[in-house]
Amino acid sequence: MTSKVASPGLFDPAIIKGASVDAFRKLDPRHLARNPVIFVTEVVSALVTLLFLRDLIVHNGAALFTGQIAAWLWFTVLFANFAEAVAEGRGKAQADALRKTRSDTRAKRLIDPENKSGMKDVVEGVSALDLRIGDVVLVEAGDLIPGDGEVIEGVASVNESAITGESAPVIREAGGDRSAVTGGTTVLSDWIKVRITAAAGSTFIDRMIALVEGAQRQKTPNELALSILLSGLTIIFLIVCVTLWPLANYSGTTLSLSVLIALLVCLIPTTIGGLLSAIGIAGMDRLIRFNVIATSGRAVEAAGDVDTLLLDKTGTITFGNRMADEFVAVGAVSEHALAEAVLLSSLADETPEGRSIVALAMSRYGLAAPLLGAEARIVPFSAHTRISGVDLPGRSVRKGAVDAILAQLEADFRTSRENNREQAATAFDADVLERAAVAKSLIPDDFTRAVERISRAGGTPLAVSENGRLLGVVHLKDIIKPDIKARFAELRAMGIKTVMVTGDNPTTAAAIAGEAGVDDFIAQAKPEDKLAYIRKEQQGGRLIAMCGDGTNDAPALAQADVGVAMQTGTQAAREAGNMVDLDSDPTKLIEIVAIGKQLLMTRGSLTTFSIANDVAKYFAIIPALFIVTYPELGAINVMKLASPQSAILSAVIFNALIIVALIPLALTGVEYKPVGAAALLRRNLLIYGLGGIIVPFIGIKLIDLLVSALHLA
């Protein structure tokens, strides 16, 4: 069971304390300039503060009112900064947890990694911080891997719980797509030689620390568009407030500059402006809790609009190595006898397929591994012969590719026919030779049927023979990861099309696609084919997500809008993607998409609430200011606030407090449910549109009652 990265609570004392300090540091205008709404609020806060000091010096009776307006305007700015600081503080807490996995470990660096001298490996002890790209280190059982790298020799069991939270160890070996190792993880057994691929300070953990701290986060296109909208609204309301001054003077109503500034701050969308950064940072934080590291908020947001998901088959949908699934005996041979023969032929087979055959024979048939005596001769697997096996006194057992085994049977038969019977008897007795003739002249029908059935199902048949006679077939198949079909059904319900990409032939690809439950597949795919498919879909206006773990997936991961690299994959894949899944679970995209949609919904909901707030505050302030001059405005003075000063002060106080009240929602996000866009829009308008109008009416009225009771205005 995978444990998620621990996430601090919303009101963690350490985070609140740090955020309170950071809220003041963020008052730097150079920082706030990136947020036009809050920047304008800070500027006018400073201006009202100057007016307060002026009124205080000249003993103006309005000093108390101006001072309160200035104080609450500054609180508005500070609360907006506080929201962003809390979101960043949660990310820094995650970074501190990751930083604990880093330590100044000692490394065993090979002095002569290429072994040009032909002597035994010689190592020197160095600090992990002194390692350079290209150095080769020896890591043995119990050692920490000193840095990110690729296994170039050996195979070992590695504990990656410090990175992934997964307690089960993983196998790392040279070659293939499972050769990448991460600094700070521990070798549990055996040994490996690792070529360092990242310098100190730029390792995977270092990059994760920088990412979760939000140091590299940039605004997404939607955020930029929303910022432009908020800036436009700010300019519009600025013009409105400026034109109100001469209009008020013309009608005989006196408006002070502090009142106009308060009106401006209440009307511009300060609520969403103050929470916008917190929403984006919190989206990345939610990903971290699902053990996914995103390089930017842009990737998180793009995930919310993904239309198509491409998944590499090997290591993503399947476990990566074909494994034995069944033994099919032919003729009069029993399954138990076939299992014994296959076990004998696989004892010295150290390939993943060979190990899976041994495991199946022992677990399903209750066999124990026999001891091979001194007379035994192991026939190792060769890419040239595609056959492996063992020779024992009176027994010669072989397993391998079907065509290779049949070719060997044919060759043995021809050799035996050319030799006289006395010579042949030294290797085969008469009835063995007769069985060889039968094997050549008539391959059992059930053998042919078994091979065809396995091939149609997308599996790999291995033929097994003993002393020139076919015993049966071993069915090797790609093992689909558990529950993956149900997960793909969830993606389909979310409107996401799943496409499996594999180098297998179309028959094998179709079988695996059907078993896994994907919507489509691309067979015999080369890296350029994946890239071409993604570009074609993107030209059609679709957003593409790609999950992969191999070096051959790197171009597609880089091109995709959301490239999710498996943490167990190669360094090239992890560098190319804009997300890294620490659990190496391809269906994690369900959570990634849900978080992306949640981020978009949260931003949209709070924007709706903020703009609706402005409508309510308009009804609170404008009638209170002009009701004496224009009594007709009494028709919309539904709040019946105590006085113009009380109306202004109550609206400003509410404007500041509502940001604080919405911080938890901005950090946790609006709950996402896979329903249609129309239903989401109705819910959004009902809850956050109507709620954004009603809440200020209630809140401002309650504050007005309190202000009037305390005679603050």
Side-chain angles (χ1 to χ4, degrees):
M1 188 73 179
T2 302
S3 60
K4 304 298 182 227
V5 176
S7 179
L10 280 177
F11 302 103
D12 184 274
I15 292 178
I16 296 298
K17 181 179 178 181
S20 300
V21 176
D22 288 341
F24 285 93
R25 292 175 180 168
K26 291 177 180 292
L27 290 175
D28 185 341
R30 292 171 297 181
H31 173 82
L32 287 182
R34 294 177 296 175
N35 190 335
V37 177
I38 303 303
F39 177 72
V40 168
T41 306
E42 182 183 43
V43 171
V44 297
S45 300
L47 182 56
V48 175
T49 302
L50 293 176
L51 294 176
F52 164 68
L53 294 176
R54 183 204 63 183
D55 292 343
L56 199 62
I57 292 173
V58 300
H59 301 289
N60 190 320
L64 176 62
F65 175 73
T66 306
Q68 291 178 82
I69 294 295
W72 283 106
L73 290 181
W74 280 115
F75 283 146
T76 301
V77 179
L78 287 171
F79 289 155
N81 290 345
F82 179 76
E84 182 178 4
V86 168
E88 290 178 350
R90 286 160 63 85
K92 290 177 181 177
Q94 306 284 6
D96 290 339
L98 287 171
R99 195 173 280 112
K100 292 177 182 178
T101 65
R102 253 188 352 187
S103 59
D104 183 13
T105 58
R106 301 293 295 175
K108 301 171 184 175
R109 183 166 60 189
L110 294 176
I111 296 177
D112 182 18
E114 297 182 4
N115 198 18
K116 295 178 180 179
S117 63
M119 300 176 63
K120 185 179 179 181
D121 290 332
V122 179
V123 300
E124 59 177 342
V126 298
S127 168
L129 300 177
D130 295 331
L131 293 175
R132 299 292 179 264
I133 295 176
D135 285 349
V136 178
V137 296
L138 174 66
V139 191
E140 299 174 298
D143 293 346
L144 281 175
I145 296 176
D148 292 1
E150 299 276 355
V151 179
I152 61 172
E153 186 179 342
V155 57
S157 175
V158 180
N159 179 5
E160 296 187 340
S161 59
I163 303 297
T164 67
E166 176 62 61
S167 58
V170 296
I171 300 298
R172 291 289 175 262
E173 56 190 338
D177 291 340
R178 296 190 178 273
S179 60
V181 291
T182 305
T185 56
T186 306
V187 170
L188 299 179
S189 66
D190 303 296
W191 58 270
I192 49 176
K193 291 181 182 178
V194 178
R195 178 178 287 113
I196 300 298
T197 58
S202 60
T203 64
F204 183 60
I205 291 180
D206 290 311
R207 292 195 302 275
M208 286 197 297
I209 291 171
L211 293 175
V212 299
E213 287 179 330
Q216 299 181 21
R217 184 180 179 276
Q218 297 178 344
K219 286 188 176 181
T220 66
N222 279 348
E223 271 186 295
L224 292 173
L226 183 57
S227 296
I228 293 172
L229 172 64
L230 299 183
S231 300
L233 290 175
T234 301
I235 294 173
I236 290 171
F237 284 118
L238 180 61
I239 295 173
V240 168
C241 290
V242 169
T243 55
L244 270 180
W245 199 343
L247 178 63
N249 289 336
Y250 176 78
S251 62
T253 302
T254 302
L255 294 180
S256 66
L257 184 57
S258 58
V259 167
L260 282 174
I261 290 174
L263 177 62
L264 171 66
V265 172
C266 288
L267 293 183
I268 63 177
T270 50
T271 304
I272 184 62
L275 297 173
L276 190 58
S277 295
I279 293 170
I281 295 172
M284 297 179 69
D285 175 68
R286 285 193 291 274
L287 269 183
I288 293 169
R289 280 178 276 157
F290 282 96
N291 281 1
V292 177
I293 303 296
T295 60
S296 70
R298 183 168 314 203
V300 184
E301 187 172 286
D305 290 325
V306 161
D307 302 299
T308 305
L309 166 62
L310 268 67
L311 302 112
D312 180 56
K313 184 207 74 175
T314 305
T316 306
I317 293 177
T318 66
F319 280 108
N321 295 309
R322 295 196 168 196
M323 303 173 69
D325 184 62
E326 64 173 330
F327 300 147
V328 183
V330 299
V333 179
S334 67
E335 280 192 32
H336 196 275
L338 173 61
E340 287 182 334
V342 175
L343 178 60
L344 272 175
S345 66
S346 303
L347 285 176
D349 187 350
E350 290 301 321
T351 65
E353 292 83 0
R355 291 195 292 266
S356 74
I357 290 173
V358 172
L360 181 63
M362 291 181 173
S363 61
R364 184 173 297 180
Y365 298 94
L367 300 176
L371 295 176
L372 298 178
E375 305 87 356
R377 184 178 72 88
I378 300 298
V379 179
F381 175 82
S382 166
H384 178 68
T385 64
R386 294 181 296 151
I387 292 175
S388 63
V390 62
D391 288 334
L392 298 170
R395 300 185 71 180
S396 179
V397 183
R398 296 289 185 271
K399 78 172 193 300
V402 172
D403 59 338
I405 291 292
L406 294 180
Q408 186 189 52
L409 291 178
E410 181 180 357
D412 290 344
F413 176 73
R414 286 179 177 173
T415 300
S416 65
R417 289 287 299 269
E418 292 172 359
N419 295 331
N420 59 52
R421 185 171 294 264
E422 291 182 358
Q423 291 174 325
T426 60
F428 301 100
D429 57 24
D431 57 343
V432 168
L433 182 60
E434 203 60 39
R435 286 195 300 270
V438 173
K440 168 65 180 71
S441 60
L442 183 62
I443 297 173
D445 289 339
D446 50 357
F447 175 85
T448 304
R449 287 195 298 269
V451 169
E452 291 177 351
R453 175 179 64 82
I454 292 169
S455 298
R456 283 197 304 270
T460 300
L462 294 182
V464 183
S465 68
E466 180 176 347
N467 293 346
R469 179 172 66 123
L470 286 172
L471 299 182
V473 185
V474 176
H475 182 182
L476 295 180
K477 64 177 292 187
D478 285 303
I479 303 299
I480 305 297
K481 292 187 176 180
D483 303 324
I484 201 165
K485 191 169 186 175
R487 301 280 280 171
F488 285 152
E490 290 183 52
L491 287 169
R492 195 174 298 110
M494 297 168 71
I496 298 174
K497 177 183 178 182
T498 53
V499 180
M500 182 185 76
V501 184
T502 176
D504 290 333
N505 61 68
T507 301
T508 301
I512 296 172
E515 185 178 354
V518 296
D519 298 312
D520 199 0
F521 65 89
I522 304 173
Q524 296 176 330
K526 300 183 288 294
E528 51 268 29
D529 296 330
K530 304 175 189 178
L531 197 59
Y533 182 89
I534 292 175
R535 287 173 175 168
K536 179 183 176 182
E537 292 291 300
Q538 288 173 331
Q539 288 171 0
R542 298 178 181 86
L543 286 181
I544 309 299
M546 168 75 185
C547 287
D549 63 351
T551 300
N552 63 331
D553 296 323
L557 287 169
Q559 179 68 35
D561 300 285
V562 179
V564 184
M566 302 295 103
Q567 198 274 333
T568 55
T570 61
Q571 188 74 16
R574 293 190 296 186
E575 292 285 355
N578 50 25
M579 291 188 186
V580 177
D581 176 16
L582 301 182
D583 295 328
S584 299
D585 177 7
T587 61
K588 185 73 69 65
L589 193 80
I590 293 174
E591 281 81 13
I592 295 174
V593 169
I595 290 170
K597 290 183 180 296
Q598 187 181 39
L599 185 150
L600 294 174
M601 286 178 55
T602 302
R603 188 183 299 148
S605 299
L606 291 183
T607 300
T608 303
F609 187 89
S610 179
I611 294 175
N613 259 245
D614 296 337
V615 176
K617 285 180 281 189
Y618 176 88
F619 279 91
I621 299 173
I622 297 299
L625 292 178
F626 291 96
I627 195 169
V628 176
T629 307
Y630 301 105
E632 295 82 2
L633 291 176
I636 62 173
N637 186 22
V638 294
M639 295 189 194
K640 307 298 182 184
L641 302 180
S643 66
Q645 292 81 5
S646 173
I648 288 288
L649 186 57
S650 299
V652 170
I653 294 173
F654 175 83
N655 197 61
L657 295 181
I658 196 63
I659 295 178
V660 181
L662 291 175
I663 288 177
L665 181 61
L667 296 180
T668 58
V670 175
E671 182 184 5
Y672 167 72
K673 294 181 179 179
V675 297
L680 283 176
L681 180 60
R682 285 195 300 270
R683 189 183 74 168
N684 220 29
L685 292 177
L686 181 63
I687 297 176
Y688 299 98
L690 186 60
I693 294 175
I694 295 175
V695 169
F697 276 92
I698 299 174
I700 291 174
K701 180 61 178 178
L702 292 176
I703 295 173
D704 176 73
L705 293 174
L706 181 61
V707 167
S708 301
L710 297 176
H711 302 289
L712 296 177

